[in-house]
Amino acid sequence: SLPQSPFLLCFLFLLLSIADALLACPTRCTCKRYEVDCSNRGLITIPTNIPFDTKSLSLNNNKLSTLQFLTLANLTTLEKLDLSNNYLDQLPVNVFNDVGNLIDLNLRNNSIRSLDKKIFYRTINLQRLDLSVNGISQIPLDLFDEMQNLTWLSLKGNRMQSLERAAFEPMVHLQYLLLGGNPWECDCSLRDFKHWMEWFLYKGGKLDGIECSLPKDLRGKDLRVVPVEMFNYCEKPPPVQTTSLSPMLDPTMHTQCIRQRYRPASVRRAIGTVIIAGVVCGIVCIMMVVAGAYGCIYASLMAKYHREKGIKNGKGKEKERCSNA
């Protein structure tokens, strides 16, 4: 017989609801143990009845344009989330706040144009992040500050022209970085990142090609092989003392306000400079060798001259003594 107590009835109903929620599988998805596959289903929203204990959720190849914070908030055990090949545009700042166990996040091939600097603040366990083939033009300076465990990052196929070195320094365990397919402007804005890039490669990191689109002299060149000397023009000029005149009347202040114009350095000119310097050094070395040899020969001749002179003087004195005797 069924229990008569209203409290017990409510308790049993609650248990059945929880069990049903745990065991349920969305109608248009397939479920296997802790994996839920909702890919290629033409979904425009994320199903709300995804099991709470899901560890892997595939929502790729759908028509998602927004993400519901409340839906993902219930998936606290989620470790892998695939949202690639959708129409996601603006991601809510707190959308990933409650999926702190997330290890692998795939946002490839969406319409993401910008990212809030706090969007990944709670995903501290993330190891793999794919942001490729979107419309991202800039990486916020603090975006990766809490992602020290990230080992693989792809930013390929976006609209980025420059990168800040400080944005990548927090990722101390990063091993693979993909940056190809962006319209990189290899000017002063990439100088500091190039220094970080060389350090990253030195410690064993893997980096794909960074093809320069500008300036003209470097178009098609890989930033990895562009000499650091090409960025010497980026050095800041020494500060100029100003007078007590107002900025509008002070010519030195006016000069400081003018932005330094980019002066492209030619690779051919740089190589020519190295060759000329080598030739000059070679000529100097040859002249030093010749001078040294001449000095040795001169010293040898002078020694021989003084020796012969000494012998001659000695014979003359001996002859004079014989005559006097």
Side-chain angles (χ1 to χ4, degrees):
S1 62
L2 294 174
Q4 300 298 318
S5 172
F7 175 77
L8 291 177
L9 288 174
C10 292
F11 180 71
L12 288 175
F13 178 78
L14 179 62
L15 287 178
L16 290 174
S17 299
I18 294 175
D20 181 65
L22 290 173
L23 298 175
C25 184
T27 305
R28 303 176 66 177
C29 306
T30 58
C31 301
K32 182 180 180 181
R33 198 170 176 79
Y34 301 113
E35 299 180 3
V36 178
D37 187 358
C38 302
S39 59
N40 297 290
R41 300 299 199 279
L43 300 175
I44 58 175
T45 58
I46 300 177
T48 57
N49 57 334
I50 297 174
F52 296 143
D53 58 349
T54 299
K55 292 184 177 181
S56 176
L57 175 58
S58 298
L59 290 163
N60 52 300
N61 298 304
N62 282 293
K63 299 179 181 179
L64 302 176
S65 58
T66 58
L67 292 180
Q68 299 89 352
F69 166 71
L70 294 177
T71 303
L72 293 180
N74 296 324
L75 306 177
T76 56
T77 61
L78 195 63
E79 296 179 355
K80 183 177 180 180
L81 177 59
D82 189 350
L83 291 163
S84 61
N85 302 313
N86 278 285
Y87 303 105
L88 298 175
D89 182 2
Q90 199 71 27
L91 299 178
V93 178
N94 58 354
V95 67
F96 301 120
N97 279 10
D98 291 321
V99 285
N101 291 315
L102 203 61
I103 296 175
D104 188 337
L105 176 59
N106 191 346
L107 291 165
R108 174 184 172 84
N109 194 22
N110 278 279
S111 302
I112 303 171
R113 297 190 300 272
S114 62
L115 293 165
D116 189 276
K117 65 180 182 180
K118 295 184 178 181
I119 193 169
F120 298 125
Y121 264 30
R122 301 290 184 88
T123 56
I124 58 176
N125 293 312
L126 203 61
Q127 298 178 14
R128 185 182 176 94
L129 175 61
D130 194 342
L131 292 168
S132 60
V133 195
N134 279 283
I136 302 172
S137 59
Q138 186 179 9
I139 296 296
L141 193 58
D142 304 325
L143 183 65
F144 303 126
D145 276 10
E146 305 300 325
M147 304 178 73
Q148 290 87 355
N149 293 314
L150 200 67
T151 60
W152 190 96
L153 172 63
S154 179
L155 294 167
K156 294 181 64 174
N158 281 284
R159 299 178 181 176
M160 293 180 294
Q161 298 177 344
S162 63
L163 290 171
E164 292 283 349
R165 169 179 182 165
F168 292 82
E169 289 178 339
M171 297 182 288
V172 294
H173 293 106
L174 190 64
Q175 299 175 11
Y176 297 90
L177 178 59
L178 307 179
L179 296 172
N182 283 279
W184 300 113
E185 293 187 4
C186 300
D187 54 15
C188 295
S189 60
L190 274 180
R191 181 188 61 173
D192 291 341
F193 177 78
K194 177 173 172 57
H195 288 298
W196 177 87
M197 178 187 68
E198 291 179 346
W199 170 83
F200 177 71
L201 293 172
Y202 174 78
K203 71 170 188 172
K206 306 297 182 183
L207 180 70
D208 66 342
I210 304 179
E211 184 174 315
C212 302
S213 61
L214 290 174
K216 184 179 179 180
D217 286 355
L218 295 179
R219 185 174 299 162
K221 300 287 185 180
D222 192 331
L223 183 62
R224 294 176 299 178
V225 300
V226 173
V228 178
E229 290 74 18
M230 300 296 291
F231 297 92
N232 286 344
Y233 73 92
C234 298
E235 297 296 333
K236 295 180 180 180
V240 181
Q241 293 184 353
T242 60
T243 64
S244 58
L245 298 175
S246 65
M248 295 299 295
L249 300 177
D250 188 352
T252 57
M253 179 67 73
H254 177 69
T255 303
Q256 292 182 46
C257 293
I258 299 176
R259 184 178 181 181
Q260 184 180 7
R261 185 180 179 184
Y262 169 71
R263 293 172 294 176
S266 172
V267 177
R268 296 189 297 273
R269 191 174 303 168
I271 295 175
T273 302
V274 173
I275 294 174
I276 293 173
V279 172
V280 172
C281 290
I283 294 174
V284 171
C285 291
I286 293 173
M287 292 177 65
M288 292 177 65
V289 171
V290 171
Y294 175 78
C296 292
I297 294 172
Y298 177 78
S300 177
L301 292 174
M302 290 300 296
K304 182 178 180 181
Y305 168 75
H306 287 295
R307 187 168 55 253
E308 291 177 351
K309 184 177 180 180
I311 294 173
K312 183 178 180 180
N313 291 337
K315 289 181 178 181
K317 290 180 180 180
E318 183 178 356
K319 184 177 180 180
E320 183 179 354
R321 284 196 301 268
C322 292
S323 298
N324 293 332

